[in-house]
Amino acid sequence: MMFTEGLDESAISWIKQGTGSPAPPRSPLAERLPAGQIAAPRSPTLYGRGCSGVGSVASWGVPDDCYYGNFSDTLEEEEEEDGASNVQEDGIHVPYVESNLLAQMPSFTANVQSAWQSFVAYDACFRICLNAWARNCMEAPEFLRDECMSFLLHPKHKSQDDGKSIYDKDGSCNMKGRKLVKQIEIEVKKIRVVPQRPKLRATSSFRNLYMQAGSEYVRQISKILKSQVTMLTSTSSTSLPEEMFTCTLELQSSCKDNQRDSISPQYLKPGTGESQLFYLESQGDSILVEVQDNNRVVIGRAKIQVSSITDTHQEEIIKWWPLYLDDQECVGKIQLCINFSVSSDNQGAAKMLQGGPAVDTIVYDMVLEAAMRAQNFNSKMLHVSGSWKWLLDEFSDYYGVSDAYRKLRYLSYILNVATPTKDCLELAYELLLPVMKARDDRTLTRQERSILLDCEDRIKSLLAVVFENYKSLDENSPTGLSDLFGPISDCAAPALAPAVQIFSVLHDILSNEAQNILRNYLQTAAAKRCRRHMIETDEFMSSNNDSLLTDPMAISAAYLKMKTICINISHEIQADIKIHNQNILPSSIDLPNIAASLYSTELCKRLKGFLSASPPSRPLEHVAELLIATADFERDLDSWQVRPVHGGVVSRDLFHGYIMVWIEDTRLQLLDNCRADKLSCPAVSTTSTFVEQMYEQIKESINEYGVVINRWPHYLMSLESAIADVEREIMKALEKQYMETLLPLRDGIPKILEKQVQRLTRRQSISPYVVPNQLGTFMNTVKRMLDMLHCRVEDSLKSWAAYLTITNGNAVFGEQMNSITVMLRKKYKKYLQAIVEKLVSNAQANRTTRLKRILEETRESEGESDIRERMQALRVHLSDSIYNLHEVFSSRIFVAICRGFWDRLGQILDDVFASEMQKHLGNSLQDKDLDPPQSVVDARSILC
């Protein structure tokens, strides 16, 4: 039922277009009231004296002193008590309007159209309430008193700047202006259609003439061609009259599979000034033009892309378009005048849109706005309930406002104040779902589709806010968003579930396009969270960070912050895993992998940049902590079954170059400490202080690399090689330090032993070699390196070898350490043997201590006492030599030298027996006869 029933034509025109009319329309309510009760001014002179002209509030709006009642009984009515009622002739009881109605009647803005729309809305609601009250409806009396009047006729203060309506004093319901809708108005100017020309069909005659004589052939062909050319020339310069053509225009939507309007087409005559108005949904829409003759036979068609005419940025276009038939033959052209305009959704609704009368929807909007003002509609109070909901339902049912329009308009108001909260999104989903089903069923009018298109865009923006801040949603926040720097939430926000429902309604979640949209939202959210963590280290990424490279405290603090970033991002991914396990997101959306891919790549970029700006010089404590945090992050991703991504964090790759530099720097530094110019003069001590210090440095360096080797054992090969080089250099430096002490021993190398013995035997006297104390320090140091210092280093490296599963080419772990052991053992034995040879040389140098000579000069007739006397000098010499050895060397070295000395003297006795036996027996002596006796063999075996 149309609420405009009962209004004259001027009132309807006034409501639709807002144009001026000679006088305000008479209210239908005044016609329903008994005789004598009319809408009359309280002062008869107000219309004349208080009006300044057309367009003034007093002239065209509802006057401030206008009220419903019997003017002659005004004074008596003012004295009646509140709540009294009048009775109409038809028996309907009407609640009495309070006597101070003059004070309650609001003033209106200067917008005449809005004033009369408000007036008509009030009148329509009053009708509904009267009808409902007659049915004993309990909600109606509330509105018949003053509720409906207070909000429907309440002035709506408008800002001239932005056009936003403020519906309450505190601004809690500050409605945003509705989206601007582009509309085009098309007028048919001219139509030019060329009549269908007969086609030249002279093929058969050509074939017959071809058989005739040449002269006859040319004559006939010339005649035919001349006649055809004449006909074509005459018809091409003429066209059919425009009066016999009509044109239909139709808008084809690109938003719903090129769906056309189901409204009956409007026939336009060219040149009559008739036009048709279209409201565009998108730039992909098309205007379908069809030209027909008087018999409704299609003459030609044209298709105009809206994008081709809106890109010109002109307000009006007059242009010719070609007309085609189905076979793509151009049959003429049509001249159209297209006007562009951009108006608000309210003004667009004031026109008679295709699909239904707009006046109903305009007034419904005003009633809806009044209901929201009455219930303090805001972002936290979105529901219209109680008696106002009843009034909206009654209005829609009484005046035929479609359910789709009701939901869409309510949804549009919600989106004006929408926040990413559960209540808001659930209400939006409840309103949107039936509308989307109606759209799929193609039951929406163009007006409804236009509103839906606007709502869809705004809902998508709201969903973007939800998904791009899914960890920062807060139901208690005025904006629905919490502080981005708040704690990491590992539980899905209540608003996330309805947001997914709405997204599934707007998109086909099984399509790749929809999934990519949602993934992009979630990656944007991860980027925001990641940026929140990264901002704390931006200062360390600056090119002007020279102070960081020289200030140890600043470097340590910077590395600590980078470690914290690794830990926090790991917590972010953990939270994503927990949110994903709540099964709120679609199954095709793998939230942990989507977020982790961005977190890992961004963290890798930040780590690379940071390490480049502040490169670690050694695996110090703060560097080790960052390395551990990075390696743990990579390990956690693997344990959480997060797929690795290209450009993501690979801790070994991040630190590989620096680790190799560390190892090389350690090698060079230790080698530098072995330089001869840094060595002090040898001091008398048990062992070399230099060697002890160097091995202590080796131990500290190995301990520093523990954090590296524990995670990547393959670096053990490089470290072993560097340590072996240092140990070799230590031995060389030790020999250089004791070079003067070792020089006499180098003359006693076994290769020249025989020559030295011969030389010494020819001399009668020679200064005996006395073992110096420095030699004892040297030999004790070499023995300590062999037995303890090197073994400790080898054991430290071997403790990590169990985790080593790969080899470096042909190299195998342990080869370098074994080579150092062999080198030290050879050095020790060489110098030990040289000392023994020196002692033997001392014994052979003196005639009285030369054992071989004593044995040779001993006769069989001499007794044991004589032999002891001859051996006394040798015994004294051996005793002194052994005492000297005991004073210089450690116990184990002392024993080793004594046993070797003992063994060497025993070899002289062997030579004596062998030479004497050969002397007497000659060649008859067998080889086995020259073997030492069993007792001597046993003694030597004990010595060995």
Side-chain angles (χ1 to χ4, degrees):
M1 178 179 181
M2 293 290 294
F3 75 90
T4 52
E5 179 183 353
L7 295 180
D8 55 18
E9 294 297 330
S10 62
I12 297 177
S13 175
W14 186 285
I15 297 168
K16 289 182 179 179
Q17 301 179 6
T19 57
S21 62
R26 179 175 174 84
S27 169
L29 182 59
E31 299 179 357
R32 283 178 172 262
L33 295 175
Q37 289 189 339
I38 60 172
R42 190 174 184 85
S43 173
T45 60
L46 185 59
Y47 272 162
R49 187 171 59 243
C51 300
S52 58
V54 177
S56 67
V57 175
S59 176
W60 301 112
V62 178
D64 287 351
D65 57 349
C66 182
Y67 73 103
Y68 293 109
N70 191 322
F71 180 72
S72 60
D73 298 331
T74 300
L75 296 178
E76 290 84 0
E77 292 171 356
E78 290 180 353
E79 297 176 356
E80 294 182 8
E81 296 180 355
D82 295 341
S85 61
N86 296 329
V87 181
Q88 293 184 359
E89 294 179 356
D90 54 5
I92 298 178
H93 292 268
V94 181
Y96 176 74
V97 181
E98 294 183 2
S99 59
N100 57 350
L101 192 58
L102 177 61
Q104 294 186 11
M105 274 297 181
S107 59
F108 294 87
T109 64
N111 189 327
V112 180
Q113 181 183 358
S114 298
W116 274 110
Q117 289 173 354
S118 300
F119 178 77
V120 175
Y122 170 71
D123 184 86
C125 292
F126 209 97
R127 293 188 186 192
I128 294 174
C129 293
L130 288 174
N131 189 22
W133 188 51
R135 302 194 311 268
N136 294 326
C137 183
M138 301 305 296
E139 290 85 354
E142 180 179 356
F143 292 100
L144 290 176
R145 292 190 182 96
D146 61 351
E147 187 76 8
C148 190
M149 175 195 66
S150 299
F151 291 97
L152 284 172
L153 298 182
H154 192 75
K156 294 183 288 184
H157 305 284
K158 290 198 173 184
S159 172
Q160 299 299 328
D161 296 332
D162 57 6
K164 295 181 180 180
S165 299
I166 302 175
Y167 293 101
D168 52 4
K169 296 180 181 180
D170 59 358
S172 62
C173 183
N174 193 347
M175 296 297 181
K176 302 177 182 178
R178 296 173 187 169
K179 181 181 178 182
L180 297 180
V181 179
K182 174 159 286 192
Q183 58 189 22
I184 60 175
E185 186 175 9
I186 302 178
E187 177 187 354
V188 180
K189 290 288 189 179
K190 300 177 182 179
I191 297 178
R192 297 289 184 266
V193 177
V194 178
Q196 293 295 316
R197 298 182 292 270
K199 297 183 180 180
L200 183 62
R201 299 184 181 277
T203 305
S204 59
S205 60
F206 289 162
R207 188 179 298 111
N208 294 331
L209 292 175
Y210 180 76
M211 304 301 296
Q212 296 177 4
S215 57
E216 184 67 19
Y217 172 77
V218 173
R219 186 167 51 254
Q220 292 295 333
I221 291 300
S222 298
K223 184 184 298 184
I224 294 173
L225 291 176
K226 182 178 180 180
S227 62
Q228 294 295 331
V229 169
T230 301
M231 182 185 68
L232 290 174
T233 304
S234 61
T235 57
S236 62
S237 60
T238 62
S239 61
L240 299 176
E242 293 181 346
E243 293 78 7
M244 63 179 299
F245 300 114
T246 57
C247 179
T248 61
L249 305 176
E250 192 174 2
L251 181 64
Q252 185 180 49
S253 174
S254 63
C255 299
K256 191 62 178 178
D257 302 329
N258 294 328
Q259 176 183 348
R260 298 187 183 184
D261 286 331
S262 59
I263 309 303
S264 300
Q266 181 178 354
Y267 293 93
L268 303 179
K269 285 285 187 178
T272 61
E274 298 176 350
S275 64
Q276 190 168 354
L277 188 64
F278 294 96
Y279 291 87
L280 306 181
E281 294 185 359
S282 71
Q283 294 297 308
D285 294 351
S286 302
I287 303 295
L288 303 181
V289 182
E290 186 175 272
V291 177
Q292 301 176 359
D293 60 11
N294 292 334
N295 297 324
R296 295 292 186 262
V297 177
V298 178
I299 303 300
R301 297 184 179 90
K303 184 175 183 180
I304 304 173
Q305 296 292 336
V306 171
S307 59
S308 65
I309 56 178
T310 56
D311 293 341
T312 59
H313 303 291
Q314 300 179 10
E315 294 184 357
E316 182 178 276
I317 294 178
I318 300 178
K319 184 179 178 181
W320 288 93
W321 274 272
L323 297 173
Y324 297 92
L325 283 178
D326 295 337
D327 57 358
Q328 300 299 317
E329 179 183 357
C330 182
V331 296
K333 56 185 179 179
I334 182 171
Q335 187 185 52
L336 301 177
C337 177
I338 302 178
N339 288 286
F340 301 93
S341 63
V342 178
S343 63
S344 69
D345 199 13
N346 283 337
Q347 293 177 352
K351 303 292 182 179
M352 190 68 69
L353 299 174
Q354 298 97 339
V359 180
D360 294 347
T361 59
I362 295 175
V363 178
Y364 177 81
D365 293 349
M366 303 189 74
V367 178
L368 178 58
E369 292 173 4
M372 291 188 293
R373 288 198 305 275
Q375 299 200 339
N376 193 25
F377 180 83
N378 57 65
S379 60
K380 296 301 181 181
M381 298 179 63
L382 300 173
H383 294 270
V384 176
S385 59
S387 57
W388 280 101
K389 184 178 184 302
W390 169 85
L391 180 61
L392 292 172
D393 294 340
E394 289 291 320
F395 187 98
S396 302
D397 181 65
Y398 194 77
Y399 294 112
V401 179
S402 68
D403 184 67
Y405 181 86
R406 291 184 60 193
K407 287 181 169 54
L408 283 170
R409 183 54 72 201
Y410 186 25
L411 179 60
S412 68
Y413 283 121
I414 291 174
L415 295 176
N416 287 336
V417 296
T419 56
T421 55
K422 178 183 178 182
D423 183 57
C424 179
L425 292 170
E426 285 182 343
L427 184 56
Y429 174 73
E430 179 183 345
L431 296 172
L432 183 64
L433 183 60
V435 174
M436 297 300 291
K437 292 181 179 179
R439 187 191 68 173
D440 295 338
D441 296 337
R442 298 188 176 184
T443 59
L444 296 181
T445 64
R446 170 160 291 276
Q447 181 188 21
E448 293 165 352
R449 292 203 304 271
S450 178
I451 300 175
L452 176 59
L453 186 65
D454 175 31
C455 291
E456 282 183 345
D457 294 339
R458 294 157 68 186
I459 289 176
K460 289 176 181 178
S461 300
L462 180 61
L463 292 180
V465 174
V466 174
F467 292 123
E468 292 177 1
N469 300 276
Y470 67 94
K471 286 184 181 176
S472 305
L473 301 176
D474 185 2
E475 295 291 318
N476 299 322
S477 172
T479 62
L481 299 176
S482 64
D483 184 5
L484 191 62
F485 289 85
I488 300 174
S489 174
D490 57 0
C491 182
L496 191 59
V500 173
Q501 290 178 318
I502 296 176
F503 186 87
S504 302
V505 171
L506 296 177
H507 303 275
D508 180 9
I509 197 59
L510 299 179
S511 66
N512 291 330
E513 180 182 3
Q515 293 173 10
N516 290 333
I517 292 174
L518 189 51
R519 289 191 188 101
N520 292 336
Y521 286 153
L522 299 176
Q523 281 195 335
T524 302
K528 289 182 179 181
R529 302 289 299 184
C530 188
R531 180 59 191 152
R532 171 253 180 179
H533 297 295
M534 298 296 181
I535 196 173
E536 298 181 2
T537 59
D538 284 348
E539 58 179 312
F540 308 121
M541 306 301 294
S542 173
S543 59
N544 186 20
N545 58 355
D546 296 337
S547 61
L548 297 178
L549 300 178
T550 58
D551 186 0
M553 295 298 295
I555 292 177
S556 178
Y559 273 81
L560 179 61
K561 287 187 177 181
M562 289 302 302
K563 169 192 171 183
T564 304
I565 287 179
C566 295
I567 296 174
N568 288 340
I569 291 182
S570 180
H571 291 165
E572 292 280 1
I573 299 176
Q574 276 185 300
D576 289 328
I577 293 175
K578 293 180 180 179
I579 293 174
H580 179 74
N581 291 337
Q582 292 181 249
N583 298 321
I584 294 176
L585 294 171
S587 58
S588 58
I589 301 300
D590 189 351
L591 178 59
N593 280 287
I594 293 173
S597 63
L598 187 136
Y599 286 132
S600 184
T601 53
E602 292 300 319
L603 179 59
C604 182
K605 292 178 184 177
R606 180 51 57 101
L607 286 171
K608 283 183 179 179
F610 175 79
L611 293 175
S612 177
S614 301
S617 58
R618 292 174 57 193
L620 300 175
E621 182 179 359
H622 58 269
V623 178
E625 289 180 357
L626 178 59
L627 187 148
I628 292 172
T630 307
D632 290 347
F633 176 82
E634 182 183 8
R635 181 203 61 196
D636 291 341
L637 293 186
D638 182 67
S639 64
W640 296 333
Q641 299 181 352
V642 175
R643 295 187 298 270
V645 294
H646 178 70
V649 173
V650 180
S651 52
R652 176 184 168 185
D653 293 347
L654 286 171
F655 288 92
H656 171 74
Y658 300 104
I659 293 173
M660 298 305 297
V661 171
W662 297 343
I663 295 175
E664 182 63 18
D665 287 347
T666 300
R667 187 181 76 87
L668 295 176
Q669 182 179 359
L670 293 176
L671 292 178
D672 185 69
N673 293 338
C674 297
R675 286 166 44 190
D677 57 347
K678 293 187 177 182
L679 298 178
S680 60
C681 296
V684 179
S685 60
T686 305
T687 58
S688 172
T689 306
F690 157 72
V691 173
E692 295 289 343
Q693 292 176 350
M694 289 303 302
Y695 270 93
E696 188 65 26
Q697 294 179 22
I698 292 176
K699 177 183 176 182
E700 293 176 357
S701 299
I702 292 176
N703 292 336
E704 282 186 346
Y705 287 96
V707 65
V708 176
I709 305 301
N710 283 334
R711 282 154 183 81
W712 306 299
H714 65 277
Y715 288 110
L716 186 61
M717 306 291 294
S718 301
L719 185 60
E720 179 196 21
S721 178
I723 297 300
D725 291 344
V726 174
E727 288 193 275
R728 292 188 186 96
E729 194 64 24
I730 291 174
M731 190 65 217
K732 291 181 182 179
L734 184 64
E735 289 178 322
K736 289 180 181 179
Q737 188 179 20
Y738 290 88
M739 181 172 56
E740 295 181 1
T741 304
L742 299 178
L743 186 60
L745 297 179
R746 293 179 181 178
D747 294 337
I749 296 176
K751 291 188 294 183
I752 59 174
L753 179 60
E754 183 178 359
K755 185 184 294 185
Q756 292 296 331
V757 172
Q758 293 176 357
R759 182 173 60 84
L760 291 175
T761 56
R762 289 194 301 267
R763 296 181 180 179
Q764 296 298 322
S765 64
I766 190 172
S767 176
Y769 174 78
V770 179
V771 179
N773 291 332
Q774 289 81 358
L775 182 59
T777 302
F778 175 82
M779 290 300 295
N780 290 340
T781 301
V782 175
K783 181 64 173 176
R784 180 170 172 79
M785 290 175 62
L786 178 62
D787 293 344
M788 294 186 64
L789 299 179
H790 171 71
C791 292
R792 290 176 182 175
V793 173
E794 188 175 14
D795 291 342
S796 297
L797 297 179
K798 281 184 177 180
S799 64
W800 293 316
Y803 304 100
L804 187 64
T805 57
I806 60 173
T807 58
N808 186 11
N810 296 325
V812 178
F813 173 76
E815 288 183 352
Q816 296 291 331
M817 291 292 100
N818 290 338
S819 67
I820 297 299
T821 302
V822 172
M823 183 267 295
L824 292 175
R825 186 177 290 115
K826 288 176 64 176
K827 291 283 185 182
Y828 176 73
K829 287 184 177 180
K830 182 184 75 171
Y831 288 111
L832 190 69
Q833 187 177 3
I835 293 172
V836 172
E837 293 299 332
K838 275 294 184 182
L839 295 176
V840 173
S841 298
N842 285 345
Q844 299 298 326
N846 195 332
R847 189 184 186 94
T848 60
T849 59
R850 193 180 305 164
L851 179 62
K852 185 175 181 180
R853 185 178 181 82
I854 294 174
L855 295 177
E856 289 176 350
E857 293 179 354
T858 301
R859 299 174 181 176
E860 296 180 0
S861 60
E862 294 180 351
E864 183 179 351
S865 59
D866 296 332
I867 296 175
R868 288 181 178 276
E869 184 178 356
R870 288 176 178 274
M871 296 290 292
Q872 183 63 31
L874 178 60
R875 288 174 60 87
V876 173
H877 174 76
L878 291 176
S879 177
D880 293 341
S881 298
I882 292 173
Y883 177 79
N884 177 232
L885 294 175
H886 180 265
E887 290 295 323
V888 173
F889 298 106
S890 62
S891 59
R892 299 312 305 169
I893 300 176
F894 167 74
V895 172
I897 294 176
C898 288
R899 293 169 70 89
F901 191 20
W902 184 8
D903 183 63
R904 288 286 288 112
L905 290 178
Q907 292 177 1
I908 295 175
L909 296 176
D910 292 342
D911 293 340
V912 172
F913 281 103
S915 61
E916 291 295 328
M917 291 172 68
Q918 286 180 348
K919 175 179 155 181
H920 295 286
L921 297 178
N923 294 331
S924 62
L925 189 65
Q926 299 179 2
D927 292 338
K928 66 179 181 178
D929 296 333
L930 297 177
D931 292 337
Q934 184 63 39
S935 60
V936 175
V937 173
D938 294 341
R940 289 179 179 174
S941 65
I942 295 174
L943 293 176
C944 293

